[in-house]
């Protein structure tokens, strides 16, 4: 093993919060045991008030040229939860939003909760569902970050438990390489049947899709980045050297090795 490839050599990188001038800095740290690595991360993660963003990554990950970055869609690439905004458009936002939040926190089974929420839209014309598109907005820094990744030669993808027609819309805008989402089941009159094509893209399916893309692009764990905001993103992040919680739920923040605490995806540029 090369000296600079020691498994317990880690980089801590951070961007101070606005009151600190948004300053970026980093340091190389060496640990004797894996337990020491985990204890150090837990200590840093226990008080994040000084930071806009922070990353604690292995030296191997720091040195690796990144080949693949996979994003969640709702509340990550875009500011909204699509199914919540559809419900707002059609008059039952409160009922749907409560279920969405519980699913993102990991308190409900994602697949079952998605099926239940979809049933509420049964019978709506596809054209009416598409009325949601103008109401959806990119998260701050999303376009800049993806442009940066593409300039380095990295492949970009969106893997979502949301709807494919929304992903295709933003794929056209962002020029990402792949999108994976749910296809609506429509009847002969192109009305929504209240269900989506299987398999449901839950946490385990997201991980499968990331694994497949890593193989397709010959990307190692250290060359892969995953970005999300909810508990259902934790599994796919096990396939990434840089696992990013973007203003994420507590379960994800605990699992991730990189946190963006300010709503600006472009902060990730300095941490990868």
């Amino acid at each position: 093993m090369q000296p600079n490839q020691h498994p317990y050599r880690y980089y801590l990188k951070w961007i101070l919060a606005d009151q600190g001038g948004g300053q970026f800095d980093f340091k190389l740290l060496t640990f004797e045991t894996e337990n020491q690595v985990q204890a150090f991360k837990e200590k840093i993660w226990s008080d994040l008030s000084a930071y806009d963003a922070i990353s604690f990554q292995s030296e191997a990950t720091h040195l690796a040229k990144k080949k693949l970055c996979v994003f969640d869609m709702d509340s990550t690439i875009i500011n909204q939860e699509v199914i919540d905004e559809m419900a707002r458009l059609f008059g039952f936002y409160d009922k749907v939003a409560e279920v969405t939040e519980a699913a993102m926190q990991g308190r409900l089974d994602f697949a079952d909760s998605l099926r239940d929420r979809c049933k509420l839209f049964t019978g709506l014309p596809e054209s009416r569902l598409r009325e949601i598109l103008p109401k959806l907005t990119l998260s701050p820094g999303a376009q800049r970050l993806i442009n940066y990744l593409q300039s380095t030669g990295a492949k970009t993808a969106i893997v979502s438990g949301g709807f494919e027609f929304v992903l295709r819309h933003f794929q056209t805008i962002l020029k990402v390489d792949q999108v994976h989402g749910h296809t609506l089941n429509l009847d002969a009159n192109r009305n929504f049947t209240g269900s989506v094509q299987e398999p449901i893209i839950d946490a385990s399916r997201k991980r499968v899709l990331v694994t497949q893309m890593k193989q397709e692009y010959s990307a190692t764990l250290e060359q892969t980045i995953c970005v999300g905001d909810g508990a259902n993103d934790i599994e796919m992040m096990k396939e990434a050297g840089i696992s990013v919680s973007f203003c994420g739920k507590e379960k994800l923040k605990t699992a991730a090795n990189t946190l963006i605490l300010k709503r600006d995806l472009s902060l990730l540029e300095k941490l990868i």
Side-chain angles (χ1 to χ4, degrees), residues 254-269:
T254 299
N257 64 21
T258 301
L259 308 178
I260 300 178
L261 302 162
K262 179 181 178 180
R263 199 153 185 86
D264 181 356
L265 274 170
S266 68
L267 294 175
L268 186 57
E269 286 182 37

Side-chain angles (χ1 to χ4, degrees), residues 135-187:
K135 302 179 183 298
L136 305 177
T137 56
L138 287 172
S139 293
Q143 183 76 72
R144 175 175 167 175
L145 175 60
I146 289 177
N147 288 348
Y148 168 75
L149 290 164
Q150 291 169 341
S151 75
T152 69
K155 300 296 184 180
T156 54
I158 303 172
V159 173
S160 174
F163 301 124
E164 186 180 43
F165 77 89
V166 177
L167 274 68
R168 293 293 180 194
H169 172 74
F170 283 99
Q171 182 179 31
T172 300
I173 295 170
L174 296 169
K175 312 300 183 188
V176 298
D177 295 284
Q178 294 191 35
V179 295
H180 299 272
H182 294 116
T183 301
L184 304 177
N185 286 322
L186 303 173
D187 64 20

Side-chain angles (χ1 to χ4, degrees), residues 44-229:
I44 296 295
W45 259 230
S46 68
D47 182 6
L48 299 163
S49 58
Y51 307 105
D52 276 345
I54 190 165
S55 182
F56 183 55
Q57 57 190 258
S58 71
E59 184 178 47
T61 295
H62 166 76
L63 294 172
K65 177 177 172 58
K66 305 307 181 289
K67 288 187 174 183
L68 174 64
C69 186
V70 181
F71 296 88
D72 177 43
M73 183 68 176
D74 294 10
S75 297
T76 301
I77 286 291
I78 61 174
N79 290 303
Q80 297 81 14
E81 291 286 333
V82 171
I83 199 164
D84 291 359
E85 295 309 310
M86 288 170 59
R88 191 194 304 276
L89 186 64
F90 298 115
F92 39 88
Y93 172 81
D94 289 343
K95 184 174 183 179
V96 170
E98 183 178 349
V99 177
T100 300
E101 178 64 17
M104 292 303 97
Q105 292 280 3
R107 300 196 304 268
L108 292 178
D109 178 78
F110 178 83
D112 289 343
S113 69
L114 177 66
R115 292 186 184 100
D116 289 343
R117 285 173 288 166
C118 282
K119 290 175 184 176
L120 296 171
F121 299 92
T122 301
L124 287 171
E126 179 189 25
S127 59
R128 290 226 57 201
L129 296 178
R130 290 181 178 273
E131 291 176 15
I132 194 65
L133 294 175
K135 302 179 183 298
L136 305 177
T137 56
L138 287 172
S139 293
Q143 183 76 72
R144 175 175 167 175
L145 175 60
I146 289 177
N147 288 348
Y148 168 75
L149 290 164
Q150 291 169 341
S151 75
T152 69
K155 300 296 184 180
T156 54
I158 303 172
V159 173
S160 174
F163 301 124
E164 186 180 43
F165 77 89
V166 177
L167 274 68
R168 293 293 180 194
H169 172 74
F170 283 99
Q171 182 179 31
T172 300
I173 295 170
L174 296 169
K175 312 300 183 188
V176 298
D177 295 284
Q178 294 191 35
V179 295
H180 299 272
H182 294 116
T183 301
L184 304 177
N185 286 322
L186 303 173
D187 64 20
N189 296 316
R190 302 200 66 78
N191 295 326
F192 184 38
T193 66
S195 65
V196 295
Q197 293 181 16
E198 300 282 340
I200 295 294
I201 301 178
D202 57 8
S204 61
R205 181 62 182 165
K206 282 188 171 186
R207 184 173 185 177
V208 167
L209 290 166
V210 173
T211 300
Q212 291 173 349
M213 285 186 280
K214 285 170 65 180
Q215 294 171 348
E216 180 178 352
Y217 297 126
S218 300
T220 65
L221 181 141
E222 292 82 7
Q223 293 172 319
T224 302
I225 306 164
C226 285
V227 186
D229 73 293

